[in-house]
Amino acid sequence: GVGQRVLDKMRLTDRQALLFIALIIAGGFVPDIRVTDVFSFNIGGALIPLALCVYLWIKADTAVEKVRSIVAALLTGAVVFLLGRFLPDEPDTMIIDPNYAYGIAAGIIGYIFGRSRRGAFIAGVVGVMLANVANAVYVWSNGVDQRLVLGGAGGFDVIVISGFLAVLLSELIGEIFERIKRGRQRPTREFKDGDFVRKEEHE
């Protein structure tokens, strides 16, 4: 239900939103697809979210929004990679789960640079993917033979969580700023004789 509401906010129809949610959940039960000895991916946790990002990017209203989404994804990838390097190795010692920390970072960056819910979702999903790849390359360069599995936890993978959490956070930030903006403006309507009418200017 939460996932559907999030996707609805990105101008998807209810049918499209439910379809993507169903594909993410169903794809999570499919075994990871092995590409090489050190790389594999999950359909529900990586392929479907990435396909959704491509669809949302293509449907973006302007070229500026597309560029902003790409910039937000790159910046998110860099920030998440650095968080992964400097956060404690044991999640139990942290105040917040790393999955949510990555999503919050994606939401803030997506809102600032993406300027849209779609930009925030793309930043969350693609950014975390880029960070995972960058971390794998970093580990491999140090001679460690470690497998890279994108979206291995299916619908509950950090890639999916970051995308949805980024949209929710950007929505919250946008609503706060909108309320602040409205609070600074003088009201233009007033309640009079049982109805809202345009407020008369008084000298």
Side-chain angles (χ1 to χ4, degrees):
V2 174
Q4 180 191 355
R5 289 176 63 86
V6 169
L7 295 182
D8 282 343
K9 293 179 182 295
M10 292 184 287
R11 301 181 188 176
L12 294 177
T13 65
D14 286 341
R15 182 173 297 180
Q16 290 172 332
L18 288 173
L19 174 62
F20 275 110
I21 294 297
L23 289 174
I24 288 174
I25 294 174
F29 291 100
V30 178
D32 297 337
I33 297 178
R34 184 175 178 178
V35 180
T36 67
D37 291 338
V38 293
F39 172 62
S40 59
F41 66 89
N42 183 269
I43 293 178
L47 184 60
I48 300 302
L50 181 59
L52 178 55
C53 287
V54 173
Y55 175 79
L56 293 173
W57 188 82
I58 293 174
K59 298 288 288 185
D61 295 329
T62 64
V64 174
E65 183 179 353
K66 292 181 178 180
V67 173
R68 284 175 173 170
S69 298
I70 294 175
V71 172
L74 293 174
L75 290 175
T76 299
V79 170
V80 171
F81 173 77
L82 292 175
L83 286 174
R85 299 255 59 85
F86 292 106
L87 287 177
D89 294 332
E90 296 295 332
D92 294 340
T93 63
M94 296 177 56
I95 300 177
I96 185 173
D97 189 284
N99 290 355
Y100 298 122
Y102 301 150
I104 290 172
I108 295 175
I109 296 172
Y111 177 78
I112 294 176
F113 294 95
R115 300 290 183 88
S116 69
R117 300 181 187 95
R118 285 176 293 197
F121 185 82
I122 293 172
V125 171
V126 178
V128 171
M129 282 189 178
L130 292 175
N132 286 343
V133 173
N135 184 67
V137 172
Y138 175 81
V139 171
W140 293 336
S141 65
N142 289 324
V144 179
D145 188 16
Q146 178 177 310
R147 289 188 63 197
L148 169 61
V149 183
L150 289 179
F156 297 97
D157 192 83
V158 62
I159 292 174
V160 179
I161 292 175
S162 295
F164 285 105
L165 186 58
V167 176
L168 293 174
L169 184 59
S170 66
E171 180 79 9
L172 175 62
I173 295 174
E175 182 65 22
I176 291 174
F177 279 112
E178 182 66 24
R179 288 181 179 274
I180 293 175
K181 182 180 178 180
R182 288 201 303 264
R184 292 176 178 175
Q185 295 176 344
R186 295 180 60 185
T188 58
R189 303 179 72 85
E190 62 182 347
F191 190 74
K192 185 176 181 180
D193 297 330
D195 199 3
F196 285 98
V197 297
R198 184 172 295 278
K199 190 174 183 179
E200 298 179 359
E201 295 291 339
H202 300 285
E203 297 293 339

